[in-house]
């Protein structure tokens, strides 16, 4: 199936990217054959994909990367780049294409050390593909030094290098970088569109798909996880019980501790498997013997220490991402409460817990609900500023109790 099939409710963006991919294909063909390139082209060397969480920024960028690397013979007959079946499309979509480099924030920031090799690679010609593509999934996490490194590469790109930057909004990216990018803004897909995608692509039963799409308010990845992972549904159910448990100070502190412990456990489960594999691969590459107790060659301690620091940053990031999901669910809970208090016609996201929502709505007014939503936002801001998770969540639960 075409690479664009994973995009949900983004027809305008898909049309623009498909046109750019056609022009990019014509540019490369003209270069290879020594013919005259097209007079006007919709292709450019740097793109900025923005949109709210769940809108599919990274999905759109990766689909575009696949279309640029497409080698389908149908292109010569007028077919659209991005067939989804050729080696270029397949390896790009699964993340193994030699000429597609993906940069993901390991910790709260993308450090210049994380970008150094990638920037250097951006100046080289493609090894096997049609373009050298750099995909930065968390461009908003570039710090000052790493952003300046990207700026230099974007200002003077190699002829067949394309930068694809993904960020929640244009304001999250340096003005000097975004001014050199073509901007595409994605919108949150409708609940119906997400539910249809879950039924069509993942074989989810329609009622389950609709409930997951409604609960996540159009967040594609979270809706898929909620519909396919019983553990995710159980964790979300536990989070949505928190507003009912903050009757006294002791209960607030206990609820905060359980929420942070659950996030830490999730991070540990994710990290253990990845960390062990990475460590063994690096030890083998450095020439160490089999087994964790074998001696490392001289001069490799610094490399191992660097890997350990990277893994520690990733584990912290994973824990905070898990807390972020919990805070998003809590915000949705109080958003539903506010809708009930105001008699709004907005569809309730958490219909399955309607009695709990009614209970909280009757016990307080809209002003207290807004203060509770502000407390959740303040907790999120504290986590972004590297406040200890337990302190931030305890402050939030106490504020939820006070209203």
């Amino acid at each position: 199936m075409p690479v664009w099939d994973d995009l949900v409710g983004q027809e305008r963006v898909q049309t623009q990217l498909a046109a750019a991919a056609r022009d990019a294909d014509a540019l490369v063909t003209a270069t290879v054959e020594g013919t005259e390139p097209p007079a006007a082209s919709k292709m450019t060397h740097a793109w900025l994909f923005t949109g709210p969480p769940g809108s599919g920024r990274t999905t759109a960028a990766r689909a575009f990367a696949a279309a640029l690397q497409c080698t389908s013979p149908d292109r010569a007959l007028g077919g659209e780049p991005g067939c989804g079946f050729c080696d270029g499309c397949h390896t790009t979509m699964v993340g193994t294409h030699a000429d597609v480099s993906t940069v993901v924030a390991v910790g709260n920031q993308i450090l210049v050390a994380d970008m150094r090799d990638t920037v250097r690679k951006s100046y080289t010609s493609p090894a096997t593909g049609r373009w050298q593509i750099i995909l930065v999934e968390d461009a908003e996490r570039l710090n000052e030094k790493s952003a300046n490194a990207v700026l230099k590469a974007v200002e003077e790109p190699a002829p067949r290098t394309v930068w694809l930057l993904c960020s929640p909004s244009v304001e999250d990216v340096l003005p000097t970088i975004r001014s050199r990018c073509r901007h595409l803004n994605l919108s949150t897909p409708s609940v119906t569109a997400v539910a249809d995608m879950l039924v069509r692509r993942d074989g989810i039963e329609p009622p389950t798909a609709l409930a997951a799409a409604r609960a996540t308010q159009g967040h594609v990845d979270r809706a898929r996880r909620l519909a396919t992972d019983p553990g995710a549904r159980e964790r979300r159910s536990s989070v949505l019980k928190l507003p009912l448990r903050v009757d006294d100070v002791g209960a607030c502190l206990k609820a905060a501790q359980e929420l942070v412990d659950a996030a830490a456990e999730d991070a540990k489960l994710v990290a253990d498997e990845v960390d062990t594999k990475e460590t063994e691969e690096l030890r083998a590459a450095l020439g160490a013997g089999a087994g964790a107790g074998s001696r490392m060659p001289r001069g490799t301690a610094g490399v191992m220490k660097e890997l350990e620091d990277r893994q520690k940053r990733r584990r912290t990031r994973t824990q905070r991402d898990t807390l972020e999901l919990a805070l998003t669910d809590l915000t949705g809970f109080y958003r539903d409460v506010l809708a009930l208090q105001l008699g709004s016609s907005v569809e309730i996201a958490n219909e399955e817990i309607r009695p709990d929502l009614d209970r909280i709505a009757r016990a307080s007014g809209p002003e207290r609900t807004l203060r509770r939503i502000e407390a959740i936002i303040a907790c999120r801001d504290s986590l972004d500023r590297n406040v200890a998770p337990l302190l931030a969540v305890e402050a939030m639960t106490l504020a939820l109790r006070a209203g």
Side-chain angles (χ1 to χ4, degrees):
M1 61 185 68
V3 296
W4 313 109
D5 274 12
D6 280 339
L7 287 179
V8 182
Q10 310 294 346
E11 289 76 11
R12 175 185 55 83
V13 170
Q14 177 181 333
T15 299
Q16 291 179 268
L17 292 177
R22 287 195 300 271
D23 287 351
D25 187 60
L27 285 171
V28 174
T29 300
T31 301
V32 172
E33 297 178 354
T35 58
E36 192 70 23
S41 174
K42 297 181 176 65
M43 182 59 186
T44 188
H45 71 282
W47 297 75
L48 176 59
F49 297 81
T50 65
S55 58
R57 302 185 301 260
T58 303
T59 300
R62 189 165 292 281
F64 184 43
L68 294 178
Q69 302 289 23
C70 183
T71 57
S72 170
D74 292 342
R75 293 175 298 108
L77 304 176
E80 293 280 347
C83 65
F85 297 102
C86 70
D87 185 65
C89 286
H90 176 71
T91 53
T92 300
M93 295 302 287
V94 300
T96 59
H97 197 292
D99 294 314
V100 180
S101 302
T102 302
V103 179
V104 183
V106 176
N108 288 331
Q109 294 182 332
I110 299 177
L111 306 179
V112 67
D114 300 327
M115 291 299 304
R116 191 173 291 118
D117 290 341
T118 303
V119 169
R120 188 180 300 115
K121 185 179 180 182
S122 74
Y123 289 108
T124 64
S125 298
T128 60
R130 298 172 69 79
W131 295 87
Q132 186 73 258
I133 299 174
I134 312 298
L135 170 57
V136 183
E137 292 191 6
D138 307 291
E140 75 279 9
R141 295 182 184 268
L142 290 165
N143 64 16
E144 182 179 358
K145 291 183 178 179
S146 57
N148 286 333
V150 171
L151 174 60
K152 292 178 182 178
V154 172
E155 282 180 328
E156 301 175 0
R160 283 169 60 183
T161 293
V162 182
W163 284 84
L164 307 178
L165 309 179
C166 303
S167 173
S169 70
V170 292
E171 288 76 17
D172 293 319
V173 180
L174 280 179
T176 46
I177 292 180
R178 67 182 186 239
S179 65
R180 290 165 173 78
C181 298
R182 183 165 298 167
H183 178 215
L184 291 176
N185 185 50
L186 284 73
S187 58
T188 301
S190 68
V191 169
T192 303
V194 175
D196 289 344
M197 183 273 297
L198 292 175
V199 173
R200 174 171 52 87
R201 293 298 306 276
D202 299 285
I204 307 299
E205 291 296 323
T208 303
L210 182 60
R214 184 171 55 236
T216 57
Q217 291 296 289
H219 192 300
V220 179
D221 292 336
R222 290 191 62 211
R224 178 182 283 115
R225 188 180 303 113
L226 203 61
T228 57
D229 183 3
R233 292 195 292 271
E234 184 178 342
R235 286 191 294 273
R236 182 173 184 276
S237 177
S238 176
V239 169
L240 294 179
K241 289 185 174 70
L242 188 146
L244 308 175
R245 301 174 51 201
V246 291
D247 295 331
D248 55 63
V249 173
C252 291
L253 300 181
K254 182 180 179 182
Q257 184 69 65
E258 291 177 357
L259 189 60
V260 172
D261 287 346
E265 182 62 26
D266 283 349
K268 184 176 184 300
L269 290 174
V270 172
D272 282 349
E273 182 178 352
V274 177
D275 290 356
T276 301
K277 181 179 178 182
E278 279 185 346
T279 301
E280 289 302 320
E281 288 178 349
L282 182 58
R283 288 173 61 84
L286 294 174
S294 58
R295 293 176 61 86
M296 294 293 296
R298 290 179 179 273
T300 60
V303 179
M304 294 301 297
K305 181 63 166 59
E306 183 179 339
L307 176 63
E308 291 171 3
D309 290 343
R310 181 181 178 86
Q311 291 173 343
K312 183 178 179 180
R313 285 192 288 133
R314 182 170 59 206
R315 188 173 300 210
T316 300
R317 166 79 189 276
T318 303
Q319 180 182 3
R320 299 199 174 190
D321 284 349
T322 303
L323 285 174
E324 177 75 20
L325 290 178
L327 297 180
T328 300
D329 289 333
L330 283 176
T331 303
F333 180 97
Y334 285 111
R335 171 258 192 200
D336 287 347
V337 169
L338 186 62
L340 292 174
Q341 290 170 332
L342 298 177
S344 173
S345 60
V346 173
E347 185 178 23
I348 299 299
N350 300 288
E351 191 65 48
E352 71 278 8
I353 57 169
R354 184 66 174 257
D356 294 337
L357 298 173
D358 287 333
R359 172 184 162 187
I360 299 295
R362 289 193 301 268
S364 63
E367 297 82 4
R368 294 185 67 186
T369 302
L370 286 173
R371 285 196 294 269
R372 285 164 171 160
I373 293 175
E374 289 171 354
I376 299 171
I377 295 173
C379 180
R380 182 180 285 116
D381 291 341
S382 296
L383 292 174
D384 287 340
R385 295 195 303 270
N386 288 326
V387 173
L390 184 57
L391 291 178
V393 177
E394 284 179 345
M396 179 194 71
T397 55
L398 291 170
L400 293 181
R401 174 178 178 267

